[in-house]
Amino acid sequence: MVGCVPVGGGAPVAVQSMTCTRTGDAAATLAQVRALVAAGCELVRVSLPTAEEAPAFARLVREAPAPIIADIHYDWRLALAAIDAGAAGIRINPGTMAEKHVREIVRAAAGPAEVPVAIRIGVNAGSLPRDLRERAEREPAAALVEAALRWAARFDEWDFSAYKLSVKSSSVPVTLEAYRLLAARTDAPLHVGVTEAGTVWSGTIKSAVGIGALLAEGIGDTVRVSLTGDPVEEVRVAWKILAALDLRRRGPEVISCPTCGRTEVDIVGLAEEVERRLAGDAALAGSVITVAVMGCRVNGPEEARHADYGIAAGAGEGVLFDHGERVEALPEGQLVDALLARIRAAGA
Ligand code: SF4
C-alpha cells in the first residue's frame, strides 16, 4: 500500500506523476497536486530538496487529495523528515547513501503504524556500486538489475517488505531488458517508466513504446510517464497507454477515421472538438464509453455503429448513432452538440 493505493499483488496499475513547482511554495504545489489528481493521478511524487521545505511538504501531505511520495536524493535526513511529515511513500536511490543511513530510513518507514511508509528503491546508472560499474559498460540492464536486487535483499534481511523497485533508463531497449530481467527474478512490485523521455511529443512516443511493451507483457505495477512539460500531460499519456492496452480506462475514448480522398467534411476539426469537449466534461471522467467520429458514408456508418456513440459525416451533414442505432441526420454544424447532448442525457 502507498497510503490508500494498493500497488502490486494484482492491483490495477497505478498512475503516478510528479510536481514541478517549488515544494516550499505549498499553495502552488497543492494547486498542481489537485490538477494532477483531477486528471487521474493516483500517487503524487513531490521533491523534498531541503529541510526548509519540510513544513510546506507536511502541509501538502495533510491537504492533498492523494497519497504523497517524497522524492529524496542523497540526504537521508530528508527521508526521515518526510516520514515524520506523514509521507505515504518515499523514493530513494540507496546507492547515493551510506548503508547505515538506508537502514535508518527503513527503520523509520517500518515505524509503529499498521501501514508502513512504502519505499521505492530507484536504481540508476549514475549510482551503481563500484564493482558493477565496469559491468554496466557491457551490460547496462543487468548491472541495474543486480544493484536493485542487492538492495531488495538488504530490505528483506531487515524484514521490510513494503518496497517497490525501479530500474529506469532513458534508453527504451535498456529499460525493456532491465525490467524483463528484474521481473524474472523478483515478485516485488515494479515502478515502470522511461526516464528523461523528452518533450511532450517525443517523450510520449518513447514512453508509450517502453511502458506499453512492458505492460503488455504483464510487467509493471505503477507507471510514471516522464515528460519535459506540464505533468498533467504525463497523467493523460499514462491513462492513454493503459487504455490502449485495455488494462484500465478513464473517460471516453474517441475513435476517428484517418481521413482519405472520400472525406467531404472537416473530420480533423470534428474529431478534435469531440475529444476536447469530452475530455473537458468532468461528469464523464468515470465514463468508459467509446465514441466514433467517421468521415464518410462508405465505411463511416459501419464503424460508428460499433461504438457506443458515433457520427458519420458526409458533405455538409452527418448521421448520429446511439449504440448501433441510427438516430437522426443533422447538418454538420449541429452534429457535435447533438452527440454531446445525447451522451450527457444518457449519463454515460
Ligand atoms: Fe475514408 Fe470514410 Fe474511411 Fe474516413 S471512414 S478513412 S472518410 S473511407
Side-chain angles (χ1 to χ4, degrees):
M1 301 297 296
V2 182
C4 58
V5 177
V7 174
V13 178
V15 173
Q16 297 199 27
S17 183
M18 186 169 178
T19 55
C20 59
T21 49
R22 295 202 68 82
T23 303
D25 185 344
T29 307
L30 199 50
Q32 192 168 62
V33 170
R34 292 200 169 109
L36 289 168
V37 172
C41 186
E42 297 164 304
L43 296 167
V44 184
R45 186 151 51 106
V46 176
S47 60
L48 182 52
T50 65
E52 287 69 50
E53 290 172 275
F57 180 84
R59 183 183 155 198
L60 282 172
V61 168
R62 283 195 306 274
E63 297 182 26
I68 298 292
I69 298 170
D71 190 72
I72 306 293
H73 281 283
Y74 298 102
D75 190 343
W76 63 287
R77 287 161 301 195
L78 292 172
L80 298 187
I83 291 168
D84 266 354
I90 56 172
R91 182 268 175 181
I92 58 171
N93 178 353
T96 63
M97 299 171 183
E99 185 175 317
K100 65 181 181 183
H101 293 149
V102 178
R103 177 76 185 100
E104 285 302 312
I105 294 170
V106 168
R107 198 174 276 131
E114 209 168 292
V115 179
V117 175
I119 298 178
R120 168 151 70 95
I121 300 171
V123 168
N124 66 37
S127 54
L128 292 172
R130 204 178 301 272
D131 67 306
L132 289 177
R133 285 180 207 157
E134 196 188 314
R135 185 174 180 190
E137 300 284 321
R138 290 174 283 111
E139 302 175 309
L144 286 170
V145 169
E146 193 58 40
L149 289 175
R150 284 182 190 177
W151 280 111
R154 276 276 176 278
F155 279 43
D156 291 341
E157 281 169 27
W158 297 334
D159 201 23
F160 185 86
S161 60
Y163 64 83
K164 55 185 188 275
L165 302 170
S166 68
V167 284
K168 295 184 191 177
S169 164
S170 56
S171 153
V172 171
V174 172
T175 300
L176 294 178
E177 187 184 351
Y179 277 99
R180 285 171 178 150
L181 288 170
L182 190 58
R185 293 180 61 188
T186 180
D187 291 327
L190 303 183
H191 169 97
V192 168
V194 178
T195 196
E196 298 144 12
T199 57
V200 171
W201 189 80
S202 57
T204 293
I205 294 167
K206 272 177 96 169
S207 298
V209 172
I211 296 173
L214 291 169
L215 292 177
E217 295 173 24
I219 298 172
D221 300 286
T222 172
V223 298
R224 190 244 172 142
V225 172
S226 299
L227 299 177
T228 308
D230 184 344
V232 167
E233 291 298 321
E234 299 185 348
V235 177
R236 296 179 59 206
V237 173
W239 276 102
K240 286 290 180 198
I241 294 170
L242 292 171
L245 289 164
D246 266 346
L247 289 173
R248 295 184 73 188
R249 287 273 303 273
R250 185 178 190 281
E253 183 181 355
V254 175
I255 295 167
S256 54
C257 82
T259 77
C260 71
R262 295 187 191 87
T263 315
E264 293 175 304
V265 293
D266 174 19
I267 203 68
V268 177
L270 276 177
E272 286 179 352
E273 186 183 354
V274 169
E275 188 163 74
R276 179 175 49 77
R277 288 176 62 179
L278 287 172
D281 192 328
L284 297 177
S287 164
V288 292
I289 55 169
T290 303
V291 180
V293 182
M294 310 306 292
C296 74
R297 295 174 222 183
V298 179
N299 288 337
E302 199 48 35
E303 297 294 337
R305 264 196 201 100
H306 290 128
D308 295 305
Y309 299 90
I311 50 181
E317 60 168 22
V319 177
L320 181 61
F321 291 88
D322 182 338
H323 292 88
E325 299 294 325
R326 183 184 194 279
V327 178
E328 59 185 332
L330 291 164
E332 182 183 343
Q334 296 176 23
L335 277 171
V336 180
D337 284 343
L339 174 73
L340 270 288
R342 196 157 187 94
I343 293 171
R344 287 199 195 103

